[in-house]
Amino acid sequence: MNTGIQEKKPPYLMIAILFFGAFVSFLNNSLLNVALPSIMVDLEIETYATVQWLSTGYMLVSGVLIPVSAFLLTRFKNRTLFLTSMGLFTVGTAVAAFAPNFGILLAGRMIQAAGSSVMGPLLMNIMLVSFPREKRGAAMGIFGLVMITAPAIGPTLSGYIVQYYDWRVLFEMILPFAIISIVLAFWKLENVMETRRTTLDVFSVVLSIVGFGGLLYGCSIASAEGWTSTETIVFLVVGAIGLVWFVVRQFRLEQPLLDLRVYKYPMFALGSVISMVTAAAMFSGMILTPAYVQNVRGISPLDSGLMMLPGAIIMGIMSPITGRLLDKFGPRVLALIGLTITAYSTYLLSELQIDSTYTYIVFIYTIRMFGMSMIMMPIMTNGLNQLPTRLNPPGTAVNNTAQQVVGSIGTAVFVTLMNSLAVDKGTELAAGLNMANATEADFAQIKALALLEGIQYSFFIATIITLVALVLAFFLKRVNVSPEEIAKLEKR
């Protein structure tokens, strides 16, 4: 990759255009979370496990295609990649906006994901080659502002639109911004990254689809079929075999689809693992929280979205600040503080009750988002600083793939746990009900109490997982970015 650009003034206007396009695609990622209950009613979808595929399916497609981004970034010019990606994203948005049924809507989401999957790696790589290592913390903090804030404000915007308009407006309003992004790219986007001829291992792509797809589908159907059902076990086993085969094949190829040799760098490997764990907890919270406030508490979509707004604002404010704190103090202090806050606030979410006040829910959710703002971007940047410049594309591809895939599978697991426990609890409560005198209000109360217990259990498991990440954070070390160390690094 071209390191000379770091000696020049960073292309701020071009980066701003990329930020705009990335913001549009990232915003779309979480825009449907609050709208899922409304979509269930409108499209007559019976279970939450089915409708959540609009979110987890989106993340899975991104996770499967992100490994290809390393090849695309190396082989094609960044201007071509951006225009193609935004073009696909725009087509997918249009399909979803006018979808007559759930199948077409899901297809539109998949096309959107195919377009947006390269946006994160593309922008991150341009940031990495545009700023010297000692200034990357602040620069990547601004990137985090886009990557984290856009999905965070999605629920608030979604809640307002769903309550006063229609969920289709969520896609219709994205269309003009996507088109504007394409027009701006035609006008000012330049090629700043060097390319070279490389080959794409198609069989690795197939293995990644089988591996990641099998695991996600197996986790998703477990809520309906059970963890011990033949169908669930078959998909989980096939997925696990495909994933192991994929990993082994990457180490044997001269030009792997996903260069897993980046895990030989200890701080990158440790940061990646912590990011994966945090992603699973974060994405699951974005699904479970709307389910609680709307389906258990009966809070309107608008109030549900507004509940998440303070957290989004906090994350937006903190992202550039944590970038500068990383440059000054290193990743360990930030990660330990952030994960402690995240673990405790997640535990408090597992203790939510049927009568928890709105103010209390807002406070806990905001504190949780504050903790998360101190984790992912700092440790990711620290890990990337340990890689030679030539490994930036595979490094960002590995990070983004791991977060998207683990986030989607983690979300599916948490939703499955929620549904499974809710069904068992609902059956137990219904058994003690006098059916002859039971009213609709009684059944609604049972459903709410059963779902509440499922959500509490899922958040408790998320707490345990976050504590694992907290323990790992004690082993984080700051990467030396002195000129001498960088020179040694580039020779490896």
Side-chain angles (χ1 to χ4, degrees):
M1 301 301 297
N2 184 12
T3 59
I5 189 173
Q6 292 183 357
E7 301 172 0
K8 303 176 183 178
K9 183 178 179 180
Y12 290 112
L13 180 58
M14 189 184 77
I15 290 174
I17 294 173
L18 289 170
F19 272 167
F20 181 76
F23 185 88
V24 171
S25 62
F26 291 164
L27 173 64
N28 180 78
N29 195 3
S30 66
L31 207 55
L32 288 191
N33 290 344
V34 172
L36 293 181
S38 299
I39 293 175
M40 284 181 68
V41 174
D42 190 34
L43 298 182
E44 300 180 350
I45 301 170
E46 295 184 358
T47 66
Y48 210 89
T50 299
V51 76
Q52 60 95 20
W53 268 92
L54 293 174
S55 293
T56 56
Y58 184 97
M59 288 191 291
L60 177 65
V61 171
S62 296
V64 169
L65 293 180
I66 284 173
V68 184
S69 68
F71 162 77
L72 297 174
L73 289 167
T74 304
R75 180 68 180 84
F76 299 101
K77 295 180 179 180
N78 54 258
R79 187 174 188 272
T80 303
L81 280 180
F82 182 85
L83 290 172
T84 303
S85 298
M86 284 305 299
L88 269 176
F89 178 81
T90 304
V91 170
T93 303
V95 170
F98 303 103
N101 53 53
F102 179 74
I104 301 298
L105 176 59
L106 183 59
R109 287 285 285 173
M110 299 298 189
I111 297 172
Q112 279 186 319
S116 67
S117 61
V118 77
M119 294 299 299
L122 175 62
L123 179 53
M124 189 177 291
N125 273 277
I126 290 179
M127 295 287 287
L128 290 174
V129 301
S130 298
F131 294 91
R133 294 172 194 266
E134 66 272 13
K135 295 182 179 180
R136 281 182 181 174
M140 294 296 280
I142 301 298
F143 173 76
L145 180 65
V146 173
M147 190 181 79
I148 297 174
T149 305
I153 68 173
T156 304
L157 182 60
S158 175
Y160 175 82
I161 290 173
V162 169
Q163 180 154 333
Y164 291 105
Y165 300 98
D166 183 78
W167 59 264
R168 295 181 188 276
V169 177
L170 297 174
F171 297 102
E172 293 169 356
M173 72 175 187
I174 289 288
L175 267 177
F177 290 106
I179 294 171
I180 289 172
S181 180
I182 293 174
V183 172
L184 290 174
F186 267 113
W187 169 55
K188 196 61 183 177
L189 202 59
E190 300 174 357
N191 294 311
V192 298
M193 298 171 61
E194 289 187 349
T195 59
R196 58 182 173 83
R197 284 198 170 276
T198 185
T199 57
L200 176 66
D201 184 50
V202 177
F203 188 53
S204 290
V205 177
V206 174
L207 287 176
S208 70
I209 294 173
V210 172
F212 299 140
L215 289 175
L216 177 60
Y217 189 72
C219 292
S220 296
I221 64 174
S223 62
E225 304 295 332
W227 289 101
T228 57
S229 71
T230 302
E231 188 176 1
T232 300
I233 292 174
V234 167
F235 275 101
L236 290 177
V237 170
V238 170
I241 293 173
L243 182 59
V244 171
W245 195 348
F246 172 80
V247 171
V248 171
R249 184 172 178 82
Q250 301 317 294
F251 282 107
R252 292 179 176 176
L253 293 173
E254 289 187 10
Q255 295 183 343
L257 173 67
L258 199 62
D259 195 345
L260 300 177
R261 285 179 281 261
V262 293
Y263 280 118
K264 294 180 179 179
Y265 296 84
M267 285 305 101
F268 176 88
L270 182 58
S272 179
V273 171
I274 296 174
S275 294
M276 283 189 275
V277 174
T278 306
M282 182 175 74
F283 288 129
S284 62
M286 290 181 175
I287 295 286
L288 295 174
T289 306
Y292 166 75
V293 297
Q294 291 187 55
N295 293 9
V296 175
R297 295 296 309 281
I299 296 173
S300 69
L302 175 59
D303 289 335
S304 173
L306 288 174
M307 181 195 74
M308 300 181 181
L309 182 58
I313 294 173
I314 289 293
M315 291 197 82
I317 293 172
M318 285 301 299
S319 188
I321 295 175
T322 54
R324 293 186 180 277
L325 291 175
L326 170 66
D327 291 336
K328 188 172 183 179
F329 298 107
R332 184 189 297 170
V333 174
L334 290 174
L336 289 176
I337 295 173
L339 284 165
T340 300
I341 294 172
T342 302
Y344 182 63
S345 56
T346 304
Y347 172 74
L348 292 178
L349 288 175
S350 74
E351 295 291 307
L352 288 174
Q353 301 299 320
I354 199 76
D355 57 351
S356 296
T357 66
Y358 184 86
T359 303
Y360 178 76
I361 301 169
V362 171
F363 177 74
I364 297 304
Y365 186 82
T366 302
I367 292 298
R368 189 171 189 261
M369 298 296 273
F370 172 72
M372 287 189 170
S373 71
M374 306 176 71
I375 306 170
M376 297 180 71
M377 189 53 64
I379 61 174
M380 187 189 305
T381 303
N382 185 70
L384 289 169
N385 280 343
Q386 198 176 36
L387 301 182
T389 303
R390 61 183 171 78
L391 290 181
N392 281 341
T396 55
V398 167
N399 260 334
N400 283 280
T401 299
Q403 288 180 27
Q404 289 287 340
V405 170
V406 173
S408 59
I409 292 177
T411 300
V413 169
F414 285 123
V415 170
T416 295
L417 291 174
M418 177 189 74
N419 284 334
S420 299
L421 199 64
V423 169
D424 292 340
K425 186 65 177 180
T427 303
E428 177 187 331
L429 292 173
L433 190 66
N434 186 344
M435 295 297 178
N437 299 323
T439 65
E440 288 189 13
D442 292 327
F443 286 112
Q445 180 75 357
I446 287 177
K447 184 177 180 180
L449 289 172
L451 185 58
L452 173 62
E453 186 151 331
I455 291 171
Q456 288 174 332
Y457 181 72
S458 295
F459 272 126
F460 180 73
I461 299 300
T463 302
I464 296 174
I465 292 175
T466 307
L467 288 174
V468 172
L470 176 60
V471 173
L472 294 175
F474 280 97
F475 300 95
L476 283 170
K477 295 180 181 179
R478 184 173 188 164
V479 173
N480 185 355
V481 292
S482 65
E484 295 79 14
E485 185 62 28
I486 293 173
K488 292 179 184 178
L489 192 64
E490 295 300 334
K491 291 179 181 178
R492 294 183 187 178

